[in-house]
Amino acid sequence: MDTPPLRFGARTGLATLVAASLSSISAHAADPYPNAPIKLVVAYAAGGGTDAVARAIAQSLGTRLGQPVIVENKPGAGGSLGTAAGATAAPDGYTFTLGSNGTMVLNPLLYSTIKYQVDRDFVAVSGIASIPYLIASNPQVNATDIRSLVELGKKQKLSFASPGNGTTNHLVGVLLESMAKVDMLHVPYRGASPAMNDVVSGQVNFLSGDLATLMPMVTAGKLRALAVTGQKRVDALPNVPTVAESGFPGFDATGWFGLFAPRGTPASIVEKVSFEMGHVLKDPRVIQRLRDLGGAPMQFNADQLKDLVKGETQKWRKVITDNHVTADALQ
């Protein structure tokens, strides 16, 4: 009995389907994550300190991953707008958010209107940097360090400036008041520059701020550096003690930055990026850039960063509650 001839079209179609499937499998195996540019959401404007931290790591991380890491600035609402955008991004490993103590701890504690919840919406990936604040006074204030500032504050009402109610700089002053048991006048401004300008002019006694902003004024003699707020002295001001060294052990108000991904991002991707960040933070160029900003690499893995957020939340919740701190409306 003769075998019926195969129809050429059917045979070709089957062969094409099999070939396409094998090609797809082969391409997937040969083209692992990442295979496209990665977005790093920064919740503040370009040119600021947070943006500088993001750009310090972006190039090195992109080199490690083999794809460009593109910084995308989404300022607004005290950092909450961009952070909310990062929270709702597709959890595919192609969008990460630069989080900070402000966006991941203080904003959730102070505002009920923000549209993200850290535990619900994010997964920790890696630490990036820790940057202490500098407490500086007008040179005419009769104090050379925090101890003498506090003693002066017990004799006369001192004032301290901040970029606004509920900002980290405000809370540094509140923590100092609380630990020193001295009452001071908080003068909030709409931004760091006007706050600094009024301390320089002598209208307000002192303020806290990031080193990159205050150092030029310290160098020019327009501000006097009193103390740094972290656990260690900083290279840029080796002779300036910490607040803890100045008679207030346990004082620590360090700014920090970490890398976060939308919850649901595959664990394998989180682990890969966390691993590569470990190498990024050993890059001499990254280390130097962070030093220029007054900070240092924060070699925290995902679990350590998660624990940091939890511990900082507990700490600052108590400070806010005990001192009845309120915040300005988000703009």
Side-chain angles (χ1 to χ4, degrees):
M1 183 169 165
D2 293 336
T3 303
L6 288 171
R7 293 178 180 173
F8 186 76
R11 185 180 182 184
T12 303
L14 178 62
T16 301
L17 179 62
V18 171
S21 298
L22 291 174
S23 175
S24 176
I25 293 171
S26 175
H28 181 73
D31 195 16
Y33 171 86
N35 56 25
I38 296 166
K39 183 166 60 179
L40 177 56
V41 177
V42 175
Y44 297 94
T50 304
D51 178 69
V53 170
R55 294 179 191 277
I57 67 162
Q59 183 176 352
S60 183
L61 180 59
T63 299
R64 295 288 313 179
L65 292 173
Q67 289 288 342
V69 175
I70 300 168
V71 174
E72 182 174 289
N73 299 93
K74 286 183 173 292
S80 294
L81 186 64
T83 308
T88 56
D92 56 8
Y94 290 93
T95 301
F96 292 87
T97 299
L98 186 82
S100 67
N101 51 306
T103 58
M104 296 297 178
V105 174
L106 299 183
N107 282 358
L109 288 174
L110 289 165
Y111 303 104
S112 60
T113 56
I114 61 173
K115 298 180 179 179
Y116 63 90
Q117 294 179 25
V118 178
D119 288 342
R120 181 193 67 193
D121 298 327
F122 286 103
V123 57
V125 178
S126 168
I128 296 176
S130 60
I131 302 181
Y133 302 99
L134 175 66
I135 298 178
S137 70
N138 180 281
Q140 300 303 313
V141 174
N142 189 25
T144 57
D145 55 24
I146 289 296
R147 191 190 301 272
S148 56
L149 181 75
V150 168
E151 289 305 313
L152 181 63
K154 291 178 179 179
K155 299 173 183 177
Q156 65 184 68
K157 188 85 165 185
L158 293 179
S159 57
F160 70 94
S162 84
N165 288 310
T167 59
T168 306
N169 311 78
H170 173 202
L171 290 171
V172 168
V174 170
L175 184 59
L176 179 62
E177 284 184 295
S178 177
M179 293 187 70
K181 295 180 172 54
V182 60
D183 183 44
M184 301 179 187
L185 174 66
H186 173 227
V187 185
Y189 291 79
R190 294 179 67 86
S193 292
M196 181 180 69
N197 290 341
D198 272 10
V199 175
V200 169
S201 69
Q203 295 185 59
V204 184
N205 298 131
F206 74 97
L207 82 166
S208 68
D210 61 86
L211 272 76
T213 299
L214 300 187
M215 274 298 294
M217 292 297 176
V218 171
T219 302
K222 295 181 179 181
L223 288 175
R224 176 185 291 145
L226 301 179
V228 291
T229 65
Q231 297 178 342
K232 299 178 181 179
R233 298 190 184 196
V234 298
D235 293 340
L237 294 166
N239 296 322
V240 176
T242 66
V243 178
E245 287 180 282
S246 305
F248 303 97
F251 189 104
D252 181 18
T254 303
W256 55 263
F257 300 92
L259 195 63
F260 295 81
R263 186 161 293 280
T265 301
S268 60
I269 291 178
V270 172
E271 290 169 5
K272 179 179 179 66
V273 175
S274 181
F275 175 80
E276 297 299 349
M277 278 297 299
H279 289 281
V280 167
L281 295 177
K282 294 176 183 176
D283 184 334
R285 294 167 299 178
V286 173
I287 293 171
Q288 185 57 54
R289 181 58 182 135
L290 294 178
R291 283 179 177 168
D292 292 343
L293 295 169
M298 188 171 73
Q299 290 273 6
F300 279 16
N301 61 28
D303 288 338
Q304 290 171 316
L305 179 58
K306 181 180 177 181
D307 289 344
L308 175 67
V309 173
K310 182 178 179 180
E312 287 275 281
T313 299
Q314 293 173 343
K315 168 186 171 179
W316 288 110
R317 178 184 285 117
K318 178 172 174 54
V319 172
I320 289 168
T321 302
D322 289 354
N323 295 280
H324 310 288
V325 175
T326 58
D328 294 328
L330 288 169
Q331 299 295 322

